[in-house]
Amino acid sequence: MRSIYDYRLKELQDKVKPSFRAKQIYNWIYKKYITSYDDMKNIPKDLRESLKTNFPIDICKVIKIEKSSDGTKKYLFEYKDGKTAEAVLLLMKDKQKDEKGNITKSEQYTFCVSSQVGCKVGCSFCLTAKGGFVRDLTAGEIVTQISYLKNDNDIDENRSVNIVYMGMGEPLDNFENLIQAINIIAQPDGLSIATRRQTISTSGISSKIEKLGELDLGVQLAISLHAVDDGLRSELIPMNKAYNIQSIIDAVKKFPIDTRKKVMFEYLVIKDKNDDIKSADKLVKLLSGIDAKVNLIFFNPFEGTTYERPSKNSMVKFQDYLLSKKLMCTIRESKGIDISAACGQLKEKEQNNGNS
Ligand code: SF4
């Protein structure tokens, strides 16, 4: 059964009569973060009872929160079937104050949210991949990650946050629920997070990138590219055998991009594998014609791999080369390094502690 969080306002207005009640419910759940119909005081009792039966509201609980010294917080959600997924709050910029202590600029947050329990893509460097695929999250289960994080961190309803679909799962593999969630999150009477503030981070299902582009929702795109040749990329992301690098680049070239934004390409730098200037040059050529930004990520060795972390020096040289070719490039800082930095790690820890 679909929960109350699975509906756009218009859809709810078609189902709940009189229809103005839908706006009141939206206000309770997305502005006041009320999670019990009994607390919705302006909704008549008989309607509240019918809502309880037809539109479940109690769909998840948070069973663990980890906080890092840099402001990162990781939340582990448990759903009604006992399955778990995680969301991460990143403090991108702390608040700024003037000499009198008045706040001149508010904090800036990014939420990384999950779209699936587990994942089918099977990236060799990913803990989530190890557990295999369990199930898709519903649109409502995606939406509640965001409403919970906003509420838990007292983020004012008018303050914008950025959303990145890059927690557990491949968002484009859960296409219909993802699109519904994007639209619900953007509803002006709801969480009101504009689509241009929502980024789909994908391992590169090119056919779905094209499909997403055709919808022209105004969302941003981030591609986990990680390598410039198909051999290495297929080792890192086995799905590359089905959707190779060129097919991804072709799909991105067709994607409608907000003129103020760029397509982000994540590149995992591995010592003596893809950290040389020849690879950097290949990357420049591959991305020519795309308004791109490259994010270089240090490879962190995992159990069973022979790959090694690159040196800081080779990372900087790689970055300098891209910059010299006018390709925007940053080296990613590891946020939340003292908690469970990579996707899937909080869940993994809980499983080791005996939770599901
Ligand atoms: S890195 Fe992302 S796409 Fe790859 S297996 Fe992990 S969750 Fe899936």
Side-chain angles (χ1 to χ4, degrees), residues 292-352:
K293 179 180 173 187
V294 175
N295 198 7
L296 301 178
I297 306 163
F298 282 96
F299 175 77
N300 273 325
F302 52 87
E303 213 181 297
T305 184
T306 52
Y307 295 152
E308 292 173 48
R309 186 182 164 89
S311 67
K312 181 86 204 268
N313 190 30
S314 65
M315 208 65 169
V316 171
K317 273 190 186 158
F318 199 105
Q319 181 189 34
D320 285 348
Y321 186 83
L322 299 192
L323 292 173
S324 75
K325 300 290 176 187
K326 308 272 179 284
L327 182 53
M328 197 185 267
C329 174
T330 51
I331 297 176
R332 187 197 280 177
E333 273 179 61
S334 272
K335 282 192 171 285
I337 206 147
D338 54 331
I339 51 171
S340 310
C343 74
Q345 287 191 0
L346 182 59
K347 183 175 158 71
E348 182 86 359
K349 241 170 148 175
E350 278 305 286
Q351 278 171 344
N352 292 340

Side-chain angles (χ1 to χ4, degrees), residues 115-116 118-130 166-171 201-204 224 226 236-239 343-344:
S115 52
Q116 296 177 316
C119 187
K120 290 178 202 159
V121 177
C123 300
S124 56
F125 49 85
C126 172
L127 281 172
T128 298
K130 282 189 188 163
M166 70 168 314
M168 293 171 67
E170 162 53 61
S201 175
T202 175
S203 56
S224 299
H226 298 333
L236 297 169
I237 308 176
M239 202 187 59
C343 74

Side-chain angles (χ1 to χ4, degrees), residues 48-62:
R48 292 202 308 253
E49 292 309 314
S50 139
L51 290 167
K52 281 181 201 172
T53 314
N54 298 310
F55 302 92
I57 192 166
D58 174 25
I59 64 166
C60 63
K61 62 181 178 194
V62 167

Side-chain angles (χ1 to χ4, degrees), residues 206-220:
S206 28
S207 57
K208 298 283 178 67
I209 294 173
E210 283 183 27
K211 208 171 152 192
L212 181 69
E214 283 161 15
L215 295 176
D216 200 7
L217 298 173
V219 292
Q220 313 303 323

Side-chain angles (χ1 to χ4, degrees), residues 8 42 47 74 134 210 228:
R8 300 182 203 185
N42 58 355
L47 178 56
K74 220 163 188 191
V134 179
E210 283 183 27
V228 285

